[in-house]
Amino acid sequence: MNTIGHIFRLTTFGESHGAAIGGVIDGCPSQLKLDFNFIDAELRRRKTAQTAVASQRQESDHVEWLSGLLDGVTLGTPIAFLVCNEDANSSDYEALKDVYRPSHADFTYEQKYGLRDWRGGGRASARTTLPIVVAGAIAKQFLKEKNIQISAEIASMGDLEQARREGDTVGSIVECRIMGVPAGLGEPLFGKFSAELAHAMFSLPAVKGFEIGDGFALAKMKGSEANDIFINKDGKITTATNHSGGIQGGITNGNDVVFRVAFKPIPSIAQPQQTVNRAGETCEIAVEGRHDVCALPRGVVLVEAMAAMVTLDAFLLA
Amino acid sequence: MNTIGHIFRLTTFGESHGAAIGGVIDGCPSQLKLDFNFIDAELRRRKTAQTAVASQRQESDHVEWLSGLLDGVTLGTPIAFLVCNEDANSSDYEALKDVYRPSHADFTYEQKYGLRDWRGGGRASARTTLPIVVAGAIAKQFLKEKNIQISAEIASMGDLEQARREGDTVGSIVECRIMGVPAGLGEPLFGKFSAELAHAMFSLPAVKGFEIGDGFALAKMKGSEANDIFINKDGKITTATNHSGGIQGGITNGNDVVFRVAFKPIPSIAQPQQTVNRAGETCEIAVEGRHDVCALPRGVVLVEAMAAMVTLDAFLLA
Amino acid sequence: MNTIGHIFRLTTFGESHGAAIGGVIDGCPSQLKLDFNFIDAELRRRKTAQTAVASQRQESDHVEWLSGLLDGVTLGTPIAFLVCNEDANSSDYEALKDVYRPSHADFTYEQKYGLRDWRGGGRASARTTLPIVVAGAIAKQFLKEKNIQISAEIASMGDLEQARREGDTVGSIVECRIMGVPAGLGEPLFGKFSAELAHAMFSLPAVKGFEIGDGFALAKMKGSEANDIFINKDGKITTATNHSGGIQGGITNGNDVVFRVAFKPIPSIAQPQQTVNRAGETCEIAVEGRHDVCALPRGVVLVEAMAAMVTLDAFLLA
Amino acid sequence: MNTIGHIFRLTTFGESHGAAIGGVIDGCPSQLKLDFNFIDAELRRRKTAQTAVASQRQESDHVEWLSGLLDGVTLGTPIAFLVCNEDANSSDYEALKDVYRPSHADFTYEQKYGLRDWRGGGRASARTTLPIVVAGAIAKQFLKEKNIQISAEIASMGDLEQARREGDTVGSIVECRIMGVPAGLGEPLFGKFSAELAHAMFSLPAVKGFEIGDGFALAKMKGSEANDIFINKDGKITTATNHSGGIQGGITNGNDVVFRVAFKPIPSIAQPQQTVNRAGETCEIAVEGRHDVCALPRGVVLVEAMAAMVTLDAFLLA
């Protein structure tokens, strides 16, 4: 269950304060010359995002490539990579060892597994998304050669400065557009392009909502307003509007695929909060560690990366 | 890709005007005595829904059980079932054979497969959801024995009578609640309970949005507002609020799982619409067949059925 | 677990004396015009085989096609089909309801599921292989268009007439050859063509051995004897010998794929045998029902069918 | 396709002369305290085996654990590990860059992927089996707590010393026994315990045959000889003989599971051999590198490891 994809498959591993975070990509087409500068740039987008607004953990995020490449060209065999955890400071978390932080995964992991890695959020840390950025960057590179481009941006965000001052955090909405995607991608009935996207986005931390095209607004429309009329544009059949977000019957129609993802506020806030510990006793915590005010900047890169993986996977399946 | 689930797996088959619609359930626990009255009642909920507001196609929806049972008790082997298509009237659709109905899957299926079953929507018909109701009813029965109950209802809907008068259709939002679900269900990182629900709901026709807990509203909140404080309630650890919708880190926390699903308006409207045909020529259509004004009444049963399957699957995996 | 294949996937259902035996094929390429005469001929090969040597159960084996076709052409959607069980006579088996027949699956199914369908072997009946013949026939038809042909034959068999006179049964070995298979099929490390074949063959009832190329004999050879020297034959690279059976490193090398499958004797013999019943009491049985002397004639068709499915699946994955 | 297993899943990566060989184990039960001494001992069995008879490559095979553990206890999250390739000497292989070694995977990999890692056999090297030993050791440890033990031994082998003198290699047969396995493991129809074992064994390099119980010998027997009579032994139902190798209808019957695996001779021989190069020109090679005379000693450990993984997986599925 730590694997995503059907043909282009990413398996990830790693805890926040363990030895390393990494992944194995299976099913990547052979003979693709990887652009390591681009991959590093994508990782920097994630880091820059962090430092610009919030994060204080300093990691070089240097990717070690373990397999699947010969002179930087993909062999068709599994591409394994890792990033060592350098700046992990578990003592920050010692006090939280037996306490369930509100709206974190501490309690649920412990219920599921009987134990948890309490250091830095363990497997539930946002740091575990790093391999997604790497795999997404490779997928993007492949798609670019097919003239498929993916671009996400901030659609809505709380007041970050105010939140920081108040020791609080904010939620956000990311909108993403997949351009140049051919008609016919996606598999009925249970492998719809929309369903695969929804699954991928909800696999990102803190995601609580997903909508495609006009999404929830469509539920308020009439059919006559919501329908996308087909037209012949210079000999190519397309739709005059794009309420459907490029997907009909779960399959791409050649128009841009457009969707939005809602991220809840990061639950680690500096304000004191009441909670309970493992013994069931009420206690109070104020998170001291190094934390972000908003998942959003990182969210933009993650949404793009997931979209790229889903698109490539559907492309290889078609 | 016509299979859903990991342990409790449903494979469906059938086109709207083909010989039959049906499914095969693999991985159902053995020694469960099926309550056929309940299954029929669930199918009637779907039918009643239809006739109450809109649908005119008359089908007895009599389920034939083909395998997997001995004296009504599950054997642990695949449970196959089918419903014959009795009242299919393909001549209604003859005129639409070469025309792409707006916001239907006609165009995308043809792009994907090079041909399509034009009779009644073929594989993309809402009739293909019937096996989901059957499998969901079986899942519900199993869950009920574990004190897990699932209940959906209409959260929002357009004016149905006005739409019918205007030859139009309306969208809707369904809200669903899974009660009694134990803590610890769901699999990180790519088998989160929330991601499995999202995938299942987006596998239903006409779904364009999904949110869990406070969903998109969380994106506008601060962390201090959105966090669910843990409390000790009569010796049991739970949360004081449920903004998270019962899921943290992708895993159930023991609170009710609450989510909403947005359905777009049914695209078959009686009003005339412009479109293009296979030759790329502009033409006009007005859908004459027997159609619903709203997917919603049926949507309630479908959302419950999918939720039951996802919950049972997670239960069997845990 | 009643599904086989990655892209071309067959899910089967049905018990020997249930309502029907059938299957759902998902992932069959669209736009293939099915040759129903060929499919029926393949099913007759299975029947003729039966009647020639042994079987007495009379079934018309008429295939009902439920979905996935329009005017006999594949739509790309699931192809469901079934054969009704007409001549099932469960009273033959009433006496065996609480008895574990030696080397049958009665005991193991009951251990696994807590109950079993005792009528005619239930899910463990050889009749459950019928859907494999249907799916294999479709796969063969597709492969034939790619100039890939599959042919199996009897490599070894006990004395059938003597066995019949003695109320006994015999085992057999089937040898199969896949001709025209392109180089490069099969997926390392855990999707090797040889491993997929082995898995498929061991999914057939009564199979107890599988070897590829020179198989077990290779374990007695030296490397200098076993190696297949590469040669340039009219501009095409091939091997001078074929000890490897057309597969190296798990991947086809363009030479014929050759393998052998060992079937144990059918365990239902007319001679009296000692066994125990559900209560653990020793008792004696002599199987009275309608049974075969040898699985082999049917085995030839089944081995071909499985080989066709595995080859098509690898072809679609490559 | 570099993943094996359904619940207990191993994904492997790495080429012979790449940076590292390793794996990710997903689905390992939580709260298992790993016995690293045992894992190292299993790896030494593999190494000792090598040095005793043949191999000259010197690797410390030191396992680095990257994730999934806290104080040596499994967290239920993915367990990633790797072994660096220290002693890889690619210059040995420079001369073979454009030559297809007989009965190696050079030609087939190149046909499949369009390129190959020619250094030391690349992904097709026997070194890629190292992660299987690690995962198998973990599986064994879990099974041991359930009183399930696995033991393989040499059943047949060529004359090793003679082969070494002649610059040749020999094949071998390994017999394996799984003791204490409960009745009821394995999934009909396409997840049979026997089929899963066959698939796993054919995933090992150089395997060309697999048989269970009396295997190919059963094909020569009569039913009256081959059947395993059920008996009541001290209140427990078991079989008097074990021709079936502990499996009936694909499901374990509680008796020992017994099977044999045929390994072909290692194709790298010191004797000169004719072959062709990429340009299709005939040439001669004599393999100079560091190679084994027989896969067998290593084979014993690998067969046990695979058997342990298959058994644990079936155990977790049941």
Side-chain angles (χ1 to χ4, degrees), chain A residues 1-2 103 108-109 112 166 168-169 186-190 192 199 203 208 210 212 222-224 227-229 232 244 247-248 267 273-274 280, chain B residues 1 103 108-109 112 166 168-169 186-190 192 199 203 208 210 212 222-224 227-229 232 244 247-248 267 273-274 280:
Chain A
M1 289 301 205
N2 289 274
S103 285
T108 56
Y109 266 67
K112 181 170 190 65
E166 296 174 356
D168 214 331
T169 58
E187 305 287 325
L189 289 189
F190 302 125
K192 287 174 174 162
H199 175 269
S203 299
K208 288 292 182 178
F210 173 81
I212 201 148
K222 294 179 183 170
S224 57
N227 281 359
D228 292 316
I229 303 302
N232 183 328
S244 303
I247 294 176
Q248 282 156 346
Q273 295 177 94
Q274 183 192 308
Chain B
M1 289 301 204
S103 284
T108 56
Y109 266 66
K112 181 171 189 64
E166 296 174 356
D168 215 330
T169 57
E187 305 287 326
L189 288 190
F190 302 124
K192 288 174 174 162
H199 175 269
S203 298
K208 287 293 181 179
F210 172 82
I212 200 147
K222 293 179 182 170
S224 56
N227 281 358
D228 292 316
I229 302 302
N232 183 328
S244 303
I247 295 176
Q248 282 155 347
Q273 295 178 95
Q274 183 192 308

Coordinates of all heavy atoms in Angstrom, one line a residue, chain A residues 1-2 103 108-109 112 166 168-169 186-190 192 199 203 208 210 212 222-224 227-229 232 244 247-248 267 273-274 280, chain B residues 1 103 108-109 112 166 168-169 186-190 192 199 203 208 210 212 222-224 227-229 232 244 247-248 267 273-274 280:
Chain A
M1 N 0.8 -1.2 0.0 CA 0.0 0.0 0.0 C 0.9 1.3 0.0 O 0.3 2.4 0.1 CB -0.9 0.0 1.2 CG -2.0 -1.0 1.1 SD -3.1 -0.7 -0.4 CE -4.6 -1.6 0.1
N2 N 2.2 1.1 -0.1 CA 3.0 2.2 -0.2 C 3.5 2.3 -1.7 O 4.5 2.9 -2.0 CB 4.2 2.1 0.7 CG 3.8 2.3 2.2 OD1 3.7 3.4 2.6 ND2 3.4 1.2 2.9
S103 N -5.2 16.4 15.6 CA -5.3 16.4 14.1 C -4.0 15.9 13.4 O -3.9 16.0 12.2 CB -5.8 17.7 13.5 OG -7.2 17.9 13.8
T108 N -3.9 7.7 15.3 CA -4.4 6.7 14.4 C -3.3 5.6 14.0 O -3.6 4.4 13.9 CB -4.9 7.3 13.1 OG1 -3.9 8.1 12.5 CG2 -6.2 8.2 13.4
Y109 N -2.0 6.1 13.9 CA -1.0 5.1 13.6 C -0.8 4.2 14.8 O -0.6 3.0 14.6 CB 0.4 5.9 13.4 CG 0.7 6.1 11.9 CD1 -0.1 7.0 11.2 CD2 1.7 5.5 11.2 CE1 0.1 7.2 9.8 CE2 2.0 5.7 9.9 CZ 1.2 6.6 9.2 OH 1.4 6.8 7.9
K112 N -3.5 1.6 14.7 CA -3.3 0.7 13.6 C -2.2 -0.3 13.9 O -2.4 -1.5 13.7 CB -3.1 1.4 12.3 CG -2.9 0.5 11.1 CD -2.9 1.2 9.8 CE -3.0 0.2 8.7 NZ -4.3 -0.5 8.6
E166 N 0.2 35.0 15.0 CA -0.7 34.4 16.0 C -0.3 33.0 16.4 O -1.0 32.4 17.2 CB -2.1 34.4 15.5 CG -2.6 35.8 15.2 CD -4.0 35.8 14.5 OE1 -4.5 34.7 14.2 OE2 -4.6 36.9 14.3
D168 N -0.3 30.6 14.5 CA -1.4 29.7 13.9 C -0.9 29.3 12.5 O 0.2 29.5 12.1 CB -2.7 30.5 13.8 CG -3.9 29.6 14.0 OD1 -3.8 28.4 13.7 OD2 -4.9 30.2 14.5
T169 N -1.8 28.5 11.8 CA -1.5 28.1 10.4 C -2.7 28.3 9.6 O -3.8 28.6 10.1 CB -1.1 26.6 10.4 OG1 -2.2 25.8 11.0 CG2 0.1 26.3 11.2
G186 N -7.6 7.1 -19.5 CA -8.5 6.8 -18.4 C -9.2 5.5 -18.8 O -9.4 5.2 -19.9
E187 N -9.5 4.7 -17.7 CA -10.1 3.4 -17.9 C -11.4 3.2 -17.2 O -11.4 3.4 -16.0 CB -9.1 2.3 -17.4 CG -7.7 2.4 -17.9 CD -7.6 1.9 -19.4 OE1 -8.3 1.0 -19.7 OE2 -6.8 2.5 -20.1
P188 N -12.5 3.0 -17.9 CA -13.7 2.7 -17.2 C -13.6 1.3 -16.6 O -12.9 0.4 -17.2 CB -14.8 2.7 -18.3 CG -14.0 2.5 -19.6 CD -12.6 2.9 -19.3
L189 N -14.4 1.0 -15.6 CA -15.2 1.8 -14.8 C -14.5 2.3 -13.5 O -14.9 3.3 -12.9 CB -16.5 1.1 -14.3 CG -17.5 0.8 -15.4 CD1 -18.8 0.2 -14.8 CD2 -17.9 2.0 -16.2
F190 N -13.5 1.5 -13.1 CA -12.9 1.8 -11.8 C -11.4 2.3 -12.0 O -10.7 2.3 -11.0 CB -13.0 0.6 -10.9 CG -14.4 0.1 -10.7 CD1 -14.8 -1.2 -11.0 CD2 -15.3 1.0 -10.2 CE1 -16.1 -1.6 -10.8 CE2 -16.7 0.6 -10.0 CZ -17.0 -0.7 -10.3
K192 N -11.0 5.3 -13.9 CA -11.3 6.6 -14.5 C -10.1 7.5 -14.2 O -9.6 7.6 -13.1 CB -12.6 7.2 -14.0 CG -13.8 6.4 -14.5 CD -15.1 6.9 -13.9 CE -16.3 6.2 -14.6 NZ -17.5 6.3 -13.8
H199 N -7.7 9.8 -6.2 CA -6.9 8.9 -5.3 C -5.5 9.4 -5.0 O -5.0 9.4 -3.9 CB -6.9 7.5 -5.9 CG -6.0 6.5 -5.2 ND1 -4.7 6.4 -5.5 CD2 -6.3 5.7 -4.2 CE1 -4.2 5.5 -4.6 NE2 -5.1 5.1 -3.8
S203 N -3.9 11.1 -1.5 CA -2.7 10.4 -0.9 C -1.7 11.4 -0.4 O -0.7 11.0 0.3 CB -2.0 9.5 -2.0 OG -2.9 8.5 -2.4
K208 N -8.1 17.4 2.0 CA -9.5 17.1 2.5 C -10.6 17.3 1.4 O -11.8 17.1 1.7 CB -9.8 18.0 3.7 CG -9.0 17.6 4.9 CD -9.5 16.2 5.4 CE -8.8 15.8 6.7 NZ -9.3 14.5 7.2
F210 N -11.4 17.5 -3.2 CA -10.9 17.4 -4.6 C -12.1 17.6 -5.5 O -13.2 17.0 -5.2 CB -10.3 16.0 -4.8 CG -9.9 15.8 -6.3 CD1 -8.8 16.3 -6.8 CD2 -10.8 15.1 -7.1 CE1 -8.4 16.1 -8.1 CE2 -10.5 14.8 -8.4 CZ -9.3 15.3 -8.9
I212 N -13.2 18.4 -9.8 CA -12.7 18.4 -11.2 C -13.6 19.3 -12.0 O -14.8 19.3 -11.8 CB -12.5 17.0 -11.7 CG1 -11.6 17.0 -12.9 CG2 -13.8 16.4 -12.1 CD1 -10.8 15.8 -13.0
K222 N -27.9 23.8 -13.6 CA -28.8 23.0 -14.4 C -28.0 22.3 -15.6 O -27.0 22.8 -15.9 CB -29.9 23.9 -15.0 CG -30.8 24.4 -14.0 CD -31.9 25.3 -14.7 CE -32.8 26.0 -13.6 NZ -33.6 27.0 -14.2
G223 N -28.6 21.2 -16.1 CA -27.9 20.6 -17.2 C -27.6 21.5 -18.4 O -26.5 21.4 -19.0
S224 N -28.6 22.4 -18.6 CA -28.4 23.3 -19.8 C -27.2 24.2 -19.6 O -26.6 24.8 -20.5 CB -29.7 24.1 -20.0 OG -30.1 24.8 -18.8
N227 N -23.6 21.6 -19.3 CA -23.2 20.8 -20.5 C -22.1 21.5 -21.3 O -22.2 22.7 -21.5 CB -24.4 20.4 -21.4 CG -25.1 19.3 -20.8 OD1 -24.8 18.7 -19.8 ND2 -26.2 18.9 -21.5
D228 N -21.2 20.8 -21.8 CA -20.1 21.3 -22.7 C -20.5 20.9 -24.1 O -20.4 19.8 -24.5 CB -18.8 20.7 -22.3 CG -18.3 21.2 -21.0 OD1 -18.4 22.4 -20.7 OD2 -17.8 20.4 -20.2
I229 N -20.9 21.9 -24.9 CA -21.3 21.7 -26.3 C -20.1 21.3 -27.1 O -19.0 22.0 -27.0 CB -21.9 23.0 -26.8 CG1 -23.1 23.4 -26.0 CG2 -22.4 22.8 -28.3 CD1 -24.2 22.3 -25.8
N232 N -16.7 22.0 -33.8 CA -15.6 21.6 -34.7 C -14.8 22.9 -34.9 O -15.2 23.9 -35.5 CB -16.2 21.2 -36.1 CG -15.2 20.8 -37.1 OD1 -14.0 21.3 -37.0 ND2 -15.5 19.9 -38.0
S244 N -16.6 20.4 -17.6 CA -16.3 19.0 -17.2 C -14.8 18.8 -16.8 O -14.5 17.7 -16.3 CB -16.5 18.0 -18.4 OG -17.9 18.1 -18.8
I247 N -12.8 15.9 -18.8 CA -13.1 14.5 -18.5 C -14.6 14.2 -18.6 O -15.4 14.8 -18.0 CB -12.5 14.0 -17.2 CG1 -11.0 14.1 -17.1 CG2 -13.0 12.6 -16.8 CD1 -10.4 13.8 -15.8
Q248 N -14.9 13.2 -19.5 CA -16.3 12.8 -19.6 C -16.4 11.3 -19.6 O -15.6 10.6 -20.3 CB -16.9 13.4 -20.9 CG -17.3 14.8 -20.7 CD -17.3 15.6 -22.0 OE1 -16.8 15.2 -23.1 NE2 -17.8 16.8 -21.9
P267 N -1.6 21.1 11.2 CA -2.1 21.0 12.6 C -1.1 21.4 13.6 O -1.5 21.6 14.8 CB -2.5 19.5 12.7 CG -1.7 18.8 11.7 CD -1.5 19.7 10.5
Q273 N -2.5 23.9 23.0 CA -3.7 23.1 22.8 C -3.9 22.0 23.8 O -2.9 21.4 24.3 CB -3.7 22.4 21.4 CG -3.6 23.3 20.2 CD -3.5 22.5 19.0 OE1 -4.5 22.2 18.3 NE2 -2.3 22.1 18.6
Q274 N -5.1 21.7 24.1 CA -5.4 20.6 25.0 C -5.4 19.3 24.2 O -5.7 19.3 23.1 CB -6.8 20.9 25.7 CG -7.1 19.8 26.7 CD -8.6 19.9 27.1 OE1 -9.1 21.0 27.5 NE2 -9.3 18.8 27.0
G280 N -4.4 8.3 28.6 CA -5.7 8.9 28.6 C -5.9 10.1 29.5 O -7.0 10.6 29.7
Chain B
M1 N -9.5 -3.1 -15.2 CA -9.9 -1.8 -14.6 C -11.4 -1.7 -14.4 O -11.9 -0.7 -14.1 CB -9.5 -0.7 -15.6 CG -8.0 -0.5 -15.6 SD -7.4 0.0 -14.0 CE -5.9 0.8 -14.5
S103 N -21.5 16.4 -23.1 CA -21.2 16.0 -21.7 C -21.5 14.6 -21.4 O -21.5 14.1 -20.3 CB -21.8 16.9 -20.7 OG -21.1 18.2 -20.7
T108 N -15.7 10.4 -25.9 CA -14.4 9.9 -25.3 C -14.3 8.4 -25.4 O -13.2 7.9 -25.7 CB -14.4 10.3 -23.8 OG1 -15.5 9.8 -23.1 CG2 -14.3 11.8 -23.6
Y109 N -15.4 7.6 -25.3 CA -15.3 6.2 -25.5 C -14.8 5.9 -27.0 O -14.0 5.0 -27.2 CB -16.6 5.5 -25.3 CG -16.8 5.0 -23.9 CD1 -16.9 5.8 -22.8 CD2 -16.9 3.6 -23.6 CE1 -17.0 5.4 -21.5 CE2 -17.0 3.1 -22.3 CZ -17.1 4.0 -21.3 OH -17.2 3.5 -20.0
K112 N -11.2 6.5 -27.3 CA -10.4 5.5 -26.6 C -10.4 4.1 -27.3 O -9.4 3.5 -27.5 CB -11.0 5.3 -25.2 CG -10.1 4.3 -24.4 CD -10.5 4.2 -22.9 CE -9.5 3.3 -22.2 NZ -8.1 3.9 -22.2
E166 N -39.0 22.6 -17.5 CA -38.2 23.3 -18.5 C -37.4 22.4 -19.4 O -36.6 22.8 -20.2 CB -37.2 24.2 -17.8 CG -37.8 25.4 -17.0 CD -36.8 26.2 -16.2 OE1 -35.7 25.8 -16.1 OE2 -37.3 27.2 -15.6
D168 N -35.2 20.4 -18.3 CA -33.8 20.5 -17.9 C -33.5 19.5 -16.8 O -34.3 18.6 -16.5 CB -33.6 21.9 -17.4 CG -32.2 22.5 -17.7 OD1 -31.2 21.6 -17.7 OD2 -32.0 23.7 -17.8
T169 N -32.3 19.5 -16.2 CA -31.9 18.6 -15.2 C -31.2 19.4 -14.1 O -30.8 20.5 -14.3 CB -31.0 17.5 -15.7 OG1 -29.8 18.0 -16.3 CG2 -31.7 16.6 -16.7
G186 N -7.5 1.7 7.1 CA -6.8 2.5 6.1 C -5.4 2.2 6.1 O -4.8 1.9 7.1
E187 N -4.7 2.4 4.9 CA -3.3 2.0 4.8 C -2.5 3.1 4.2 O -2.7 3.7 3.1 CB -3.2 0.8 3.8 CG -4.1 -0.4 4.1 CD -3.6 -1.2 5.3 OE1 -2.3 -1.3 5.4 OE2 -4.4 -1.7 6.0
P188 N -1.5 3.6 5.0 CA -0.6 4.6 4.4 C 0.4 3.9 3.4 O 0.6 2.7 3.6 CB 0.2 5.1 5.6 CG 0.1 4.0 6.6 CD -1.1 3.2 6.3
L189 N 0.9 4.7 2.5 CA 0.7 6.1 2.1 C -0.3 6.2 1.0 O -1.0 7.2 0.8 CB 2.0 6.7 1.7 CG 3.0 7.0 2.7 CD1 4.1 7.9 2.2 CD2 2.4 7.8 3.9
F190 N -0.5 5.1 0.2 CA -1.3 5.2 -1.0 C -2.5 4.3 -0.9 O -3.2 4.0 -1.9 CB -0.4 4.9 -2.2 CG 0.8 5.7 -2.4 CD1 2.1 5.2 -2.5 CD2 0.6 7.1 -2.4 CE1 3.2 6.0 -2.6 CE2 1.7 8.0 -2.5 CZ 3.0 7.4 -2.6
K192 N -4.8 5.1 1.7 CA -5.5 5.8 2.8 C -7.0 5.6 2.7 O -7.5 5.6 1.6 CB -5.2 7.3 2.7 CG -3.8 7.7 3.2 CD -3.5 9.2 2.9 CE -2.1 9.5 3.5 NZ -1.5 10.7 3.0
H199 N -11.5 7.6 -4.5 CA -11.5 6.8 -5.7 C -12.8 6.1 -6.0 O -13.3 6.1 -7.2 CB -10.4 5.7 -5.6 CG -10.3 4.8 -6.7 ND1 -11.0 3.6 -6.7 CD2 -9.6 4.9 -7.9 CE1 -10.7 3.0 -7.9 NE2 -9.9 3.7 -8.6
S203 N -15.6 6.9 -9.1 CA -16.0 5.9 -10.0 C -17.4 5.8 -10.3 O -17.9 5.1 -11.2 CB -15.5 4.5 -9.4 OG -14.1 4.5 -9.2
K208 N -18.3 14.9 -9.6 CA -17.3 15.9 -9.9 C -16.6 16.5 -8.7 O -15.7 17.3 -8.9 CB -18.0 17.0 -10.8 CG -18.3 16.6 -12.2 CD -17.1 16.4 -13.0 CE -17.4 16.0 -14.5 NZ -16.1 15.8 -15.2
F210 N -15.5 15.7 -4.3 CA -15.5 14.9 -3.1 C -14.8 15.6 -2.0 O -13.7 16.2 -2.2 CB -14.8 13.5 -3.4 CG -14.6 12.7 -2.2 CD1 -15.7 11.9 -1.7 CD2 -13.4 12.7 -1.5 CE1 -15.5 11.1 -0.6 CE2 -13.2 11.9 -0.4 CZ -14.3 11.1 0.1
I212 N -14.0 15.5 2.5 CA -14.1 14.7 3.7 C -14.1 15.6 4.9 O -13.3 16.6 4.9 CB -13.1 13.6 3.7 CG1 -13.5 12.5 4.7 CG2 -11.7 14.1 4.0 CD1 -13.0 11.1 4.2
K222 N -8.2 28.5 10.0 CA -6.9 28.5 10.7 C -6.7 27.1 11.4 O -7.7 26.5 11.8 CB -6.8 29.6 11.7 CG -6.8 31.0 11.1 CD -6.7 32.0 12.2 CE -6.8 33.4 11.5 NZ -7.0 34.5 12.5
G223 N -5.5 26.8 11.6 CA -5.2 25.5 12.3 C -5.9 25.4 13.7 O -6.5 24.4 14.1
S224 N -5.9 26.6 14.4 CA -6.6 26.6 15.7 C -8.1 26.3 15.6 O -8.7 25.9 16.6 CB -6.3 27.9 16.4 OG -6.8 29.0 15.6
N227 N -8.3 22.2 14.0 CA -7.9 21.0 14.8 C -9.0 20.3 15.6 O -9.8 21.0 16.2 CB -6.7 21.4 15.7 CG -5.4 21.5 14.9 OD1 -5.4 21.2 13.7 ND2 -4.3 21.9 15.6
D228 N -8.9 19.0 15.7 CA -9.8 18.3 16.5 C -9.1 17.8 17.8 O -8.2 17.0 17.8 CB -10.3 17.0 15.8 CG -11.2 17.3 14.6 OD1 -12.1 18.2 14.8 OD2 -11.0 16.7 13.5
I229 N -9.5 18.5 18.9 CA -8.8 18.2 20.2 C -9.2 16.8 20.7 O -10.3 16.4 20.6 CB -9.3 19.3 21.2 CG1 -9.0 20.7 20.7 CG2 -8.7 19.0 22.6 CD1 -7.5 20.9 20.4
N232 N -10.8 12.5 26.6 CA -11.0 11.2 27.2 C -12.5 11.1 27.6 O -12.9 11.8 28.5 CB -10.2 11.0 28.4 CG -10.3 9.6 29.0 OD1 -11.4 9.0 29.0 ND2 -9.3 9.1 29.6
S244 N -12.1 16.7 10.9 CA -11.3 15.8 10.1 C -12.2 14.8 9.4 O -11.7 14.0 8.6 CB -10.3 15.1 10.9 OG -9.4 16.0 11.6
I247 N -11.0 10.9 10.0 CA -9.7 10.4 9.4 C -8.6 11.3 9.6 O -8.6 12.5 9.3 CB -10.0 10.2 7.8 CG1 -11.0 9.1 7.6 CG2 -8.7 9.8 7.2 CD1 -11.4 8.9 6.2
Q248 N -7.5 10.8 10.1 CA -6.3 11.5 10.3 C -5.1 10.7 9.8 O -4.9 9.6 10.2 CB -6.1 11.9 11.8 CG -7.0 13.1 12.2 CD -7.4 13.1 13.6 OE1 -7.2 12.2 14.4 NE2 -8.0 14.3 14.0
P267 N -26.6 14.9 -18.1 CA -26.4 15.7 -19.3 C -27.5 15.5 -20.3 O -27.7 16.3 -21.3 CB -25.1 15.2 -19.9 CG -24.9 13.9 -19.3 CD -25.6 13.9 -17.9
Q273 N -30.1 21.0 -28.2 CA -28.7 21.4 -28.0 C -27.9 21.3 -29.3 O -28.2 20.3 -30.0 CB -28.0 20.5 -26.9 CG -28.5 20.6 -25.5 CD -27.7 19.7 -24.6 OE1 -26.8 20.1 -24.0 NE2 -28.2 18.4 -24.6
Q274 N -26.9 22.1 -29.5 CA -26.1 22.0 -30.6 C -24.9 21.0 -30.3 O -24.5 20.9 -29.2 CB -25.5 23.4 -30.9 CG -24.6 23.4 -32.2 CD -23.8 24.7 -32.3 OE1 -24.4 25.8 -32.2 NE2 -22.5 24.5 -32.4
G280 N -17.9 15.4 -38.0 CA -17.5 16.7 -37.6 C -18.5 17.8 -38.0 O -18.2 19.0 -37.9

